Amino acid sequence: MAKLVLSFQGRVLEDFPLNKERLSIGRAPDNDICIENLAVSGRHAAIETVLKDSFLIDLGSTNGTFVNGAAITRHTLKNGDYITIGKHSLTYHSEAYSSGDAEVEKTIAMRPSAKPTAAAPIPMIGKLQVQNGGSAGREMILNKPLSKLGKAGFQVAAISRRQQDYYLEHIEGKDGRTPKLNGIEIGLQPRQLSSGDVVEIAGTQLKFVMVAAPQEM
């Protein structure tokens, strides 16, 4: 069964299975998913599930509903989608395969006449390269689901890894300042990173690049 995982500032709060045709999300206490935050509208969004497909719908909220950093009004959810509502986030986890699907794949794999499949894509991983200061030239591999960067009390950001996509997100900042992406502050919504982007956190400039993941021996 598909589910949503609610988190706040990188800390998982609760799981919500999508076991109803419609789940409501909002600040009002009678919502299926209640998020007590002033940035969340009383009736903010809803999830509608039809068979194995789930759809996220913004209900005219004041501050908007975002998927992977982009504002939406209606969106078909895919496994790993990162939903932002106010200062909270919800990650969508779909039911990847049913047992019937697995049996079909097994049968196809055993057929001697089956044509060879195309080569699997090379797995990629992100890394950061320090561009300035005394640590210039140092590198950091982003192989964790969440990597926090910066200086506590001054500016802290996080880079989250969802499959092979990476997102930069503001955690805390003095005087409301948020991290910069290619010279522009990102604000309060996560921003997807592309290879070659330059991130600035607490005065440190970091170049984000995608490289081939090292093969396990």
Side-chain angles (χ1 to χ4, degrees):
M1 179 181 296
K3 67 178 181 178
L4 291 172
V5 178
L6 176 65
S7 60
F8 178 69
Q9 294 186 350
R11 181 168 59 91
V12 173
L13 302 179
E14 192 172 352
D15 290 4
F16 296 92
L18 301 183
N19 54 5
K20 297 169 58 177
E21 289 186 0
R22 182 181 174 93
L23 270 74
S24 59
I25 306 170
R27 194 174 72 250
D30 59 341
N31 282 288
D32 297 298
I33 302 176
C34 178
I35 303 176
E36 297 181 2
N37 187 287
L38 293 178
V40 180
S41 299
R43 296 283 183 271
H44 197 106
I47 302 284
E48 292 185 351
T49 300
V50 180
L51 299 177
K52 291 185 179 182
D53 295 323
S54 295
F55 306 89
L56 173 65
I57 304 166
D58 181 80
L59 301 178
S61 63
T62 301
N63 294 315
T65 301
F66 298 80
V67 176
N68 301 331
I72 63 94
T73 54
R74 182 181 178 88
H75 174 81
T76 303
L77 290 169
K78 299 178 180 63
N79 187 50
D81 273 350
Y82 187 75
I83 304 165
T84 304
I85 293 179
K87 295 183 179 181
H88 287 67
S89 63
L90 292 154
T91 305
Y92 174 73
H93 296 276
S94 66
E95 185 177 1
Y97 295 100
S98 68
S99 58
D101 293 332
E103 288 301 317
V104 169
E105 290 189 357
K106 188 186 296 183
T107 302
I108 292 173
M110 292 173 65
R111 289 176 184 169
S113 60
K115 295 181 179 179
T117 57
I122 298 173
M124 305 292 286
I125 195 167
K127 71 176 179 179
L128 294 173
Q129 300 171 336
V130 181
Q131 302 294 297
N132 63 343
S135 299
R138 293 186 61 182
E139 295 185 345
M140 175 183 178
I141 299 294
L142 299 171
N143 56 359
K144 299 179 181 179
L146 188 74
S147 301
K148 289 188 177 181
L149 306 163
K151 298 178 182 178
F154 180 69
Q155 190 174 73
V156 179
I159 294 180
S160 58
R161 179 188 183 192
R162 296 187 284 281
Q163 297 179 349
Q164 292 201 51
D165 293 330
Y166 290 83
Y167 293 85
L168 173 67
E169 184 175 2
H170 170 70
I171 301 296
E172 65 172 279
K174 187 177 181 181
D175 302 324
R177 287 177 290 184
T178 63
K180 292 182 179 179
L181 178 60
N182 298 324
I184 301 173
E185 288 196 14
I186 66 169
L188 300 178
Q189 302 301 330
R191 295 285 299 276
Q192 186 171 0
L193 296 173
S194 299
S195 190
D197 282 345
V198 176
V199 176
E200 184 175 332
I201 303 170
T204 300
Q205 293 181 348
L206 305 153
K207 185 176 182 180
F208 173 79
V209 294
M210 292 291 290
V211 298
Q215 295 183 355
E216 296 183 359
M217 299 300 292

